[in-house]
Amino acid sequence: VGQELENVHTQVSRSGGIEEDSESGFGPGDSSWLVHLENELLSGSFMFPDDELSPWTINLDYLRFPVDDEDVEVELEDEVDILADINPATLPDLDFRTSEFSLGDKHFGAWEFVLRSLGDSASISELKMTTPDAQIRDFSGDTGANLDWRYDNGIHTTSFNGLFSAGDMAQVLPGWGYDANVESESATFISNLQWSGSPVAFALEKVVGDVQVDIRNGRFVDIDSGGSRLFGAFSFDSLVRRLQLDFSDLYEKGLAYDAIGGSLYFDRGIVATDGPFEISGPSSKINIEGRLNLLNETI
């Protein structure tokens, strides 16, 4: 938002009922303006139809936002919502796709979605994120997830329904700002979540809803160092000590597990188990019931 583009190579052309353009990726359509932009931050094509009822089409090779670490720290501390002044109902309908999305040196893979304005809200459907190690899809895993962005009297609310799946969590977690201390063969998180703010204002301390967790075949690593933090709230070895269990012979080089599974309910910083939350492995089985407070980091 408010990003200036410098040194942009620009091509503008008119089309009318065009045949598919192999360079832009656009198929036949009504008369429209076709704009191709390229610089260090973005590269791709924008199609703006003359028909106001037709959606814009954005097809990018890459979209790269530079990030100043100091600015990011300030925004996180102040909980700045960069879309706070945007009314989703005023946004144009658009079909969006980028083969690469990056924030600073963090790469978040390919993204695509369909945005449609609906009264005082916007619906984002067919939301897909794809990286070599993870993806976002709908509950079936076949089509895109759904996200609703509502705006009422200056207040934003967002809801998300979808599936986040991954292979090795140790490869995925660092890209999302967490320590790589959980290895896995596969992991799925089926989520029904809501939070106050726009879609970019997501934070675990804000969300309300449930997440079904299913992680298979891996291990917790560096548990005895005190650095193996789950949900950024507590260390696994601290939990074991609180349970007055001695697994030091098992987890000095990492605690292996066959499966981690259960349902978690999030309520603005409080995470509660919804039924038993189980960690089962070749040498142990741990059932956890209780609550985590993400705000003051207590169990």
Side-chain angles (χ1 to χ4, degrees):
V1 178
Q3 180 67 51
E4 294 184 2
L5 300 178
E6 299 179 353
N7 302 318
V8 182
H9 176 69
T10 306
Q11 293 179 322
V12 180
S13 60
R14 282 286 294 170
S15 63
I18 61 173
E19 297 181 355
E20 185 171 354
D21 184 332
S22 60
E23 292 187 2
S24 68
F26 299 137
D30 298 327
S31 297
S32 59
W33 287 100
L34 181 62
V35 180
H36 183 86
L37 303 177
E38 182 174 359
N39 73 346
E40 294 182 352
L41 301 183
L42 66 82
S43 174
S45 299
F46 300 73
M47 187 173 71
F48 306 108
D50 293 345
D51 183 356
E52 294 183 356
L53 298 180
S54 297
W56 296 1
T57 304
I58 302 174
N59 186 12
L60 304 180
D61 297 317
Y62 57 80
L63 179 61
R64 301 165 179 166
F65 287 103
V67 173
D68 186 307
D69 292 338
E70 293 183 0
D71 290 343
V72 171
E73 290 179 2
V74 171
E75 287 188 358
L76 291 176
E77 290 176 0
D78 296 340
E79 296 186 347
V80 174
D81 186 347
I82 61 174
L83 299 181
D85 296 329
I86 302 297
N87 182 346
T90 65
L91 296 175
D93 292 346
L94 59 87
D95 300 341
F96 176 90
R97 179 175 62 186
T98 181
S99 298
E100 176 194 329
F101 175 63
S102 302
L103 291 174
D105 60 356
K106 296 186 184 305
H107 302 283
F108 295 100
W111 288 77
E112 60 182 274
F113 59 83
V114 172
L115 184 147
R116 298 292 184 266
S117 59
L118 300 169
D120 59 353
S121 65
S123 171
I124 299 175
S125 61
E126 291 299 321
L127 174 63
K128 298 178 182 178
M129 181 276 292
T130 306
T131 74
D133 302 300
Q135 65 177 12
I136 293 175
R137 294 290 190 273
D138 74 337
F139 295 147
S140 70
D142 298 325
T143 60
N146 295 299
L147 188 150
D148 290 318
W149 177 9
R150 298 187 176 277
Y151 184 78
D152 184 25
N153 293 324
I155 299 175
H156 295 268
T157 56
T158 302
S159 62
F160 171 81
N161 297 284
L163 168 71
F164 179 87
S165 60
D168 185 0
M169 291 296 292
Q171 299 297 319
V172 175
L173 288 171
W176 296 88
Y178 296 96
D179 295 333
N181 46 38
V182 182
E183 298 177 350
S184 65
E185 183 178 284
S186 66
T188 59
F189 303 85
I190 298 175
S191 305
N192 292 279
L193 300 172
Q194 289 185 332
W195 61 92
S196 58
S198 75
V200 300
F202 174 87
L204 289 178
E205 292 80 7
K206 292 182 178 181
V207 300
V208 175
D210 60 88
V211 177
Q212 298 285 336
V213 178
D214 185 4
I215 308 175
R216 300 298 177 97
N217 301 326
R219 67 184 183 122
F220 296 96
V221 295
D222 295 331
I223 291 176
D224 58 332
S225 71
S228 186
R229 300 172 69 82
L230 304 178
F231 307 111
F234 66 98
S235 62
F236 191 83
D237 56 320
S238 174
L239 173 62
V240 171
R241 288 197 301 270
R242 286 172 181 269
L243 295 174
Q244 296 182 339
L245 303 175
D246 182 7
F247 292 121
S248 58
D249 59 325
L250 300 177
Y251 66 71
E252 285 179 353
K253 294 185 179 180
L255 173 65
Y257 63 83
D258 295 324
I260 303 173
S263 179
L264 299 174
Y265 183 77
F266 289 75
D267 187 3
R268 299 177 181 88
I270 305 298
V271 184
T273 56
D274 186 6
F277 191 87
E278 184 175 281
I279 302 174
S280 60
S283 303
S284 62
K285 179 178 288 186
I286 303 173
N287 288 293
I288 302 171
E289 293 187 52
R291 297 186 303 166
L292 313 176
N293 189 315
L294 303 181
L295 302 178
N296 57 26
E297 300 190 356
T298 59
I299 304 173

